[in-house]
Amino acid sequence: MTYRTTTTTAARFIEFSLSSSQTISTGSIIKFDATSKRTTGGDSVSYDSATGILTLSSTKRYWVQAAVHCERSTRDPYNLYWVTNSSTTEIQPSNGGFEAFILSGDGTIKTSSSHVASLMVDSPSTGFRLYVGLVPSNSTITTRSSLFIVEADP
């Protein structure tokens, strides 16, 4: 009988945050602050605050988590998901994309806590953006939001 074995590999941890809150609407791109980058060092990750494009090395493996704190203006649902840098089509779980989908509350207006949209990719050949698929108007992404990235050598 053969068991799945594990190997050790070098990894780096990277974080981006928001320097100020962002008012969002359906179709917005969440834009973290590139100057807020904290890293354990030697990573191959870059982020463009103007476009919201996250660029990852094509020779690495990644686990990306956007922990987003959204203050909704109503109790209506919202969702965030990962798209490529040239698309607004959701990256599906079969391709490593996992959305944050928040349903309506219990009849009261909810101030949502952080919710996570994840992306898992090996040797990416494109950039990625965090897209707002649905949100009540006049909602806000707060500075309690962060983008966490684990970069691993193959």
Side-chain angles (χ1 to χ4, degrees):
M1 180 178 281
T2 304
Y3 292 93
R4 189 171 191 152
T5 60
T6 60
T7 60
T8 54
T9 186
R12 282 128 330 259
F13 300 90
I14 304 102
E15 178 189 17
F16 294 95
S17 59
L18 288 175
S19 57
S20 61
S21 295
Q22 293 178 24
T23 300
I24 58 169
S25 59
T26 297
S28 293
I29 300 296
I30 305 300
K31 297 175 182 173
F32 293 91
D33 181 3
T35 63
S36 71
K37 182 177 182 178
R38 295 187 322 152
T39 181
T40 56
D43 67 82
S44 303
V45 173
S46 65
Y47 191 84
D48 185 332
S49 295
T51 62
I53 294 176
L54 174 66
T55 304
L56 308 171
S57 171
S58 62
T59 63
K60 308 286 184 192
R61 301 172 69 197
Y62 294 92
W63 180 25
V64 182
Q65 287 194 304
V68 178
H69 185 273
C70 182
E71 292 181 349
R72 295 182 287 168
S73 56
T74 69
R75 68 180 189 92
D76 293 338
Y78 83 96
N79 76 328
L80 310 167
Y81 50 83
W82 291 99
V83 298
T84 63
N85 61 349
S86 60
S87 172
T88 58
T89 302
E90 179 179 356
I91 299 172
Q92 296 296 313
S94 59
N95 291 317
F98 300 91
E99 71 175 330
F101 183 68
I102 292 50
L103 296 172
S104 300
D106 61 0
T108 60
I109 294 176
K110 296 289 185 186
T111 300
S112 301
S113 59
S114 293
H115 300 283
V116 175
S118 291
L119 176 67
M120 296 166 39
V121 291
D122 290 340
S123 306
S125 60
T126 187
F128 302 94
R129 301 178 298 163
L130 188 58
Y131 184 80
V132 180
L134 177 68
V135 71
S137 60
N138 297 317
S139 294
T140 303
I141 300 296
T142 74
T143 57
R144 291 181 238 163
S145 303
S146 294
L147 182 61
F148 300 102
I149 303 162
V150 177
E151 176 186 76
D153 294 336

